[in-house]
Structures are given as C-alpha cells and as structure tokens.
C-alpha cells in the first residue's frame, strides 16, 4: 500500500524510469542485497543507547550532539516566512522535537495526528513542540489543516539539512545501477531523485527498513494492544471505495457490506489503521506536488528528541524505515507517559466520544 501510493502520481518518462528501478530490484538475486545494505555502524556516545540503537541494526548515528544541531540548525517558520533555529522560542523549557520525513509521507501524517491530540497536554506539562518536516511553506499550511496540528508548532526544512546533519536513516543506501543511470537524463537532480525513489521503494519492500512490513501488516490484521484509530462517524473515499468508520464498506456502486467486527470496541480493529493510511494516501496523491516539491529527499526518515530545559536528551528515537516513527508503534506516544499521563497511551480516545 505504501509503495503503490507514491508511484501513482507519476507520469510518462518518470513512470517508465521507476518501472526500470523496481525491475532492477526484482531481478537482482537476494544474496546480492547483503553488501548493499548499510553497514552496522554506531557512533553513539559511550553509555548512551537510544531506542533505535540495538545490536545488529543498520543505523548510522551522528557524533555531533543533538542539542547543538537543533540549537544551530535553521528552519523555515511557515507562519512568518522567516528562518530561525529549531529551538528558538523554546529556551528554558523542555522541548519535544520531531524531525519528520517529507510532509507527504505516511509517517509524518500519522505522527502529527497523534501529537495534535495532545498539544494541550504538552502545554500543561510545559513541553514545547516543534514538528519539522521536509517541504515548503505551502505543504506546511496544507499539512497543518489536514492533521489539525497548530501551525505555530510546525517548521519546514526544504532541503532536509537538519536530517542530513544528524545522518538520519535513508534506506539501504543504494546507488542507481550504472546501466540505468545511463538511460536517465544526466542532470544531477534527476539522478538524485532516481536514487531517492530506489531507496524509498526498497524500504517499502522491507529492504534496509526494519519493522516496515510488520507495521503494514498490523494495519490490516488489527492489534488488540492498540487503541481505536478511526472516528466512528468518519468517511473515507478512494475512487469507487467508500468506507464508513469501521462498520460499512461500499464498493463499485451496488456492492455494500458490513464489517464482521462492526460492533467491537476498545482496540484497533482489522483494516482500521489501513483505512487511516488510505485517507492520507488520497490526500497526498490529490495534492502531490504541493506536498512533495523535490523527490530527492523522499527516502530520508525522521527522528524524535525530547530535551530537558538544559538541552540534555531525555528521550531519543531514530526511524529505521518507513512507518517506524516510534519505538512502540501500537502506542506511538508512550514515551510521553511520565509527562502527560495516560493521554500518551490513547491520545485520540475515540471510544470516549460515543
């Protein structure tokens, strides 16, 4: 589903180039992937281990202190149109900094929707929120409206410079094969976009993207350990498909049926999270070039940092692939429980709205 959603908006020559990219991956022997995957490199400070640094994980960790990068890296404030350091305005208080992928990415939308539900709780706990996505001002404004995230919390980094400084994950780090590079235009920007698409599509297939396939599957089969994710009165439409909450589905006009779990409550039902992702897909595909102005940054993943008032790191998570924006995906905000209580475990609390 993730892979299909980002291929659909492409046209003509780019479509043909992408087909060649996918074909290249498909015909490559499985044992040839091993040397192409990222090396097991970790330069985390001694004695420190964040949620993504575990044995055997292919991850590069920057040796530059996170607080220094966040204090000095300048990003665009879509409200004012000016650049300023990420932590500007949050001095002297705890700060939750989310570095998100492209604003047109599933991860960005899902995470923002959860955080939007607890903005008041974060304010009550005196925690400032900065949500920094890769994109432009237009994307930020649309993203904020769609996910109900206060735009004053949102910043954009058009070139993904902060993500690059922290060496955040970007897939298996493959280069476009020489024969394919020769087929594509020699322009450096085109080559960079092709490389980004190759690495992104590889992650969608679970290559260099630990946890992605498990998370996609969880969206379809449901999760007894996760809260409800879809409002009872929500309606999601995608072409001939119309899904009404978790109860009724209408397909191709006359075909209509009720979900067998329509009366079940209190957990993430089958296909419920997949429906949330379908809603995001429809929004992004309908406004592709507003959300993704430069495909060259498509593969870059994100990270989460909770900083104390003195700049020390209280919590850190670096994404390992697509749909891995939290160490605890069934309850993505559980790391905030010590600060905002049970709201962190069920931010949207849909079952209480009936």
């Amino acid at each position: 589903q993730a892979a299909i959603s980002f291929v659909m908006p492409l046209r003509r020559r780019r479509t043909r180039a992408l087909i060649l990219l996918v074909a290249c991956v498909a015909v490559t022997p499985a044992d040839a992937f091993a040397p192409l995957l990222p090396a097991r490199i970790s330069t985390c400070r001694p004695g420190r281990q964040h949620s993504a640094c575990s044995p055997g994980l292919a991850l590069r960790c920057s040796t530059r202190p996170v607080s220094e990068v966040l204090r000095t890296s300048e990003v665009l404030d879509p409200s004012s149109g000016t650049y300023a350091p990420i932590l500007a305005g949050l001095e002297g208080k705890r700060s939750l900094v989310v570095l998100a992928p492209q604003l047109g990415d599933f991860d960005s939308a899902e995470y923002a929707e959860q955080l939007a539900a607890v903005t008041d709780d974060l304010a009550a706990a005196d925690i400032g929120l900065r949500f920094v996505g890769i994109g432009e001002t237009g994307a930020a404004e649309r993203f904020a409206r769609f996910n109900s995230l206060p735009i004053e919390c949102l910043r954009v980094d058009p070139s993904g410079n902060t993500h690059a400084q922290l060496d955040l994950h970007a897939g298996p780090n493959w280069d476009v094969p020489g024969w394919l590079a020769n087929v594509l235009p020699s322009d450096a920007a085109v080559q960079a976009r092709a490389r980004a698409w190759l690495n992104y599509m590889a992650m969608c297939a679970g290559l260099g993207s630990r946890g992605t396939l498990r998370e996609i599957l969880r969206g379809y089969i449901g999760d007894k350990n996760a809260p409800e994710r879809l409002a009872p009165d929500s309606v999601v439409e995608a072409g001939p498909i119309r899904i009404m909450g978790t109860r009724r589905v209408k397909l191709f006009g006359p075909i209509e049926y009720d979900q067998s779990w329509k009366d079940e409550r209190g957990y993430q039902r089958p296909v419920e999270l997949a429906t949330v992702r379908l809603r995001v897909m429809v929004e992004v595909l309908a406004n592709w070039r507003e959300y993704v102005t430069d495909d060259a940054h498509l593969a870059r993943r994100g990270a989460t940092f909770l900083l104390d008032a003195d700049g020390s790191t209280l919590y850190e998570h670096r994404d390992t692939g697509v749909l891995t924006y939290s160490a605890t995906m069934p309850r993505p905000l559980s790391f905030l429980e010590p600060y905002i209580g049970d709201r962190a475990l069920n931010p949207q609390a849909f079952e209480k709205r009936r």
Side-chain angles (χ1 to χ4, degrees):
Q1 180 177 329
I4 292 172
S5 69
F6 281 98
V7 172
M8 285 177 64
L10 305 176
R11 297 290 186 270
R12 299 184 182 90
R13 185 172 63 183
R14 186 175 294 173
T15 299
R16 294 194 292 272
L18 281 171
I19 291 172
L20 288 172
L21 286 171
V22 176
C24 174
V25 174
V27 301
T28 303
D31 57 1
F33 290 144
L36 295 174
L37 293 173
R40 295 178 180 179
I41 301 173
S42 179
T43 54
C44 294
R45 286 167 286 174
R48 282 292 309 279
Q49 181 175 348
H50 50 65
S51 64
C53 280
S54 55
L57 178 62
L59 182 72
R60 303 178 182 88
C61 301
S62 173
T63 55
R64 189 180 175 196
V66 169
S67 59
E68 180 185 336
V69 174
L70 300 182
R71 190 177 62 252
T72 59
S73 183
E74 294 195 343
V75 291
L76 179 62
D77 181 347
S79 299
S80 65
T82 59
Y83 279 85
I86 292 174
L87 296 180
L90 300 180
E91 297 85 356
K93 64 191 303 184
R94 287 175 176 160
S95 307
L96 174 59
V97 179
V98 174
L99 298 179
Q102 289 271 6
L103 291 179
D105 200 287
F106 285 114
D107 300 53
S108 303
E110 280 188 38
Y111 206 172
E113 184 182 43
Q114 297 274 305
L115 289 168
V118 298
T119 50
D120 290 342
D121 302 89
L122 291 172
D126 199 28
I127 297 176
L129 173 63
R130 282 286 183 272
F131 192 99
V132 184
I134 300 175
E136 303 283 353
T137 298
E141 293 171 347
R142 188 172 196 96
F143 182 88
R145 290 195 302 271
F146 180 72
N147 295 289
S148 301
L149 185 70
I151 198 164
E152 57 267 22
C153 301
L154 189 57
R155 300 290 186 271
V156 285
D157 190 346
S159 63
N161 178 58
T162 308
H163 300 62
Q165 287 188 62
L166 292 171
D167 205 7
L168 298 185
H169 193 59
N173 199 28
W174 291 345
D175 287 321
V176 176
W179 64 267
L180 182 55
N182 292 333
V183 173
L184 295 170
S186 59
D187 181 79
V190 174
Q191 296 282 340
R193 294 187 186 107
R195 189 180 190 279
W197 271 106
L198 175 62
N199 283 279
Y200 183 80
M201 296 296 285
M203 284 191 288
C204 290
L207 298 169
S209 186
R210 195 182 73 173
T212 295
L213 297 183
R214 179 177 65 246
E215 181 59 22
I216 291 174
L217 182 62
R218 192 177 72 86
Y220 286 100
I221 65 175
D223 188 345
K224 293 284 188 179
N225 296 315
E228 297 180 17
R229 289 298 307 275
L230 200 61
D233 59 349
S234 64
V235 176
V236 178
E237 295 183 338
I241 303 172
R242 180 181 172 88
I243 303 173
M244 291 146 276
T246 57
R247 298 183 63 85
R248 196 160 185 80
V249 177
K250 187 174 183 180
L251 302 173
F252 306 100
I255 304 175
E256 195 168 351
Y257 63 91
D258 285 335
Q259 309 271 26
S260 61
W261 47 83
K262 63 180 182 179
D263 296 319
E264 297 181 18
R265 301 285 184 269
Y267 76 100
Q268 180 193 304
R269 283 70 57 91
V271 306
E272 182 174 5
L273 183 53
T275 303
V276 172
R277 290 166 180 167
L278 175 63
R279 181 180 62 196
V280 174
M281 181 183 74
V282 171
E283 163 68 12
V284 171
L285 293 185
N287 305 281
W288 177 255
R289 274 300 163 219
E290 191 169 358
Y291 276 110
V292 182
T293 54
D294 187 354
D295 306 50
H297 310 297
L298 192 63
R300 185 68 74 175
R301 299 294 88 199
T304 298
F305 304 101
L306 180 62
L307 306 179
D308 209 344
D310 61 3
S312 59
T313 303
L314 298 172
Y315 172 84
E316 180 173 335
H317 170 78
R318 297 178 184 236
D319 304 0
T320 60
V322 174
L323 295 176
T324 62
Y325 55 87
S326 172
T328 54
M329 287 299 290
R331 298 181 188 271
L333 303 187
S334 59
F335 69 95
L336 289 173
E337 187 180 8
Y339 310 97
I340 64 174
D342 290 344
R343 285 282 290 161
L345 303 179
N346 188 6
Q348 294 166 294
F350 285 129
E351 64 273 18
K352 296 181 181 179
R353 302 186 190 182
R354 294 185 176 87

